[in-house]
Amino acid sequence: MPTLVAWAHEHLLSMLVSMEIAPGTRIGIDAVARKLGISQTPIREALSRLEAEKLVIKVPNVGYHASAQMTPSEVSDLYVLRQLIEPYAAARAAESMTDETLRQLAAMEEEMDRIQAETGVAYARFAEADAMLHSLVATGSGNPLIADTIARLHMHLHIFRFLFNTNAPQEAAQEHAEIIHALLARDPAAAEAAMRTHLERSRVRMEEASVRIAARTSPEPRAVSPARRGGI
């Protein structure tokens, strides 16, 4: 049974990744407490967790705000970094992951297959499972610097804010399965290739989502009067 803090964290996360709480907007603790029907204390603790995950920012004497959306340039830089380190991490993890960690990954694959990301909460659960999978691979590589880099970026939950209302969970679940199967087989080459393919497909999904977001947020073109069309 989840604690109130865990429950509040899950619901706040779902509001953030589904854009119900838009990037950059203030988060009223009173309003969230009323919406969820609980006291402010677990809301504050959940917000502290989200601050550590860099999804919210605490402004002194003001309160919490949702963190800004990543820019297309930041997303591009992020994927360059991921392609440099995560395929290598997957290969090393296939060689050195413990049996217990592999059992965790197998259970995670089943959980991700069960999740139908039709609601904000389900989507948030999938996003968290995705982040945990990549974290386990990074840790399983046996390289503490890689694991620390992945943990500090907290990148995956930010990425999922871009991908809400796409078919990313269904596509990613199959890609994750390929990674996990290679790890379970302790096949470094297959694990590296599966991770590289997953990241490349994820990058394409991100680029497509960025275009859609830009189209929704760009101002409408101003009408040009007939007298001025094609003239001076």
Side-chain angles (χ1 to χ4, degrees), residues 125-170:
R125 287 173 181 161
F126 188 93
E128 285 193 295
D130 177 276
M132 179 57 69
L133 185 150
H134 285 270
S135 176
L136 283 173
V137 172
T139 302
S141 72
N143 188 320
L145 289 177
I146 289 176
D148 186 59
T149 298
I150 299 297
R152 286 179 181 276
L153 288 173
H154 294 288
M155 65 182 89
H156 298 90
L157 299 181
H158 289 279
I159 286 172
F160 271 79
R161 288 201 291 176
F162 265 100
L163 296 176
F164 186 64
N165 287 333
T166 73
N167 60 353
Q170 289 74 23

Side-chain angles (χ1 to χ4, degrees), residues 15-184:
M15 287 188 273
L16 288 162
V17 297
S18 68
M19 302 288 194
E20 183 178 344
I21 299 176
T25 58
R26 185 175 179 275
I27 302 172
I29 293 177
D30 289 347
V32 174
R34 286 195 300 271
K35 179 181 176 68
L36 299 184
I38 59 178
S39 71
Q40 294 183 22
T41 300
I43 300 295
R44 293 180 187 279
E45 292 187 41
L47 285 168
S48 292
R49 285 178 57 182
L50 290 165
E51 182 183 17
E53 294 166 345
K54 303 188 186 301
L55 284 169
V56 303
I57 299 169
K58 187 175 184 181
V59 182
N61 302 318
V62 176
Y64 288 96
H65 285 73
S67 61
Q69 183 63 285
M70 296 175 72
T71 66
S73 176
E74 289 171 334
V75 170
S76 177
D77 290 344
L78 181 58
Y79 273 91
V80 169
L81 177 59
R82 294 184 71 185
Q83 284 281 20
L84 287 171
I85 62 176
E86 290 197 70
Y88 172 84
R92 299 291 74 75
E95 296 172 331
S96 58
M97 260 187 172
T98 66
D99 290 340
E100 175 57 33
T101 303
L102 291 174
R103 281 191 289 270
Q104 285 182 261
L105 286 173
M108 188 175 295
E109 179 188 358
E110 294 179 5
E111 175 66 15
M112 295 178 100
D113 285 340
R114 281 196 299 268
I115 295 173
Q116 297 297 313
E118 297 173 351
T119 67
V121 170
Y123 187 78
R125 287 173 181 161
F126 188 93
E128 285 193 295
D130 177 276
M132 179 57 69
L133 185 150
H134 285 270
S135 176
L136 283 173
V137 172
T139 302
S141 72
N143 188 320
L145 289 177
I146 289 176
D148 186 59
T149 298
I150 299 297
R152 286 179 181 276
L153 288 173
H154 294 288
M155 65 182 89
H156 298 90
L157 299 181
H158 289 279
I159 286 172
F160 271 79
R161 288 201 291 176
F162 265 100
L163 296 176
F164 186 64
N165 287 333
T166 73
N167 60 353
Q170 289 74 23
E171 293 180 359
Q174 180 56 44
E175 293 159 20
H176 290 157
E178 295 294 332
I179 296 169
I180 291 170
H181 295 166
L183 292 168
L184 291 173

Side-chain angles (χ1 to χ4, degrees), residues 1-15:
M1 189 71 179
T3 66
L4 274 180
V5 174
W7 188 78
H9 175 270
E10 180 178 84
H11 281 265
L12 279 165
L13 177 61
S14 76
M15 287 188 273

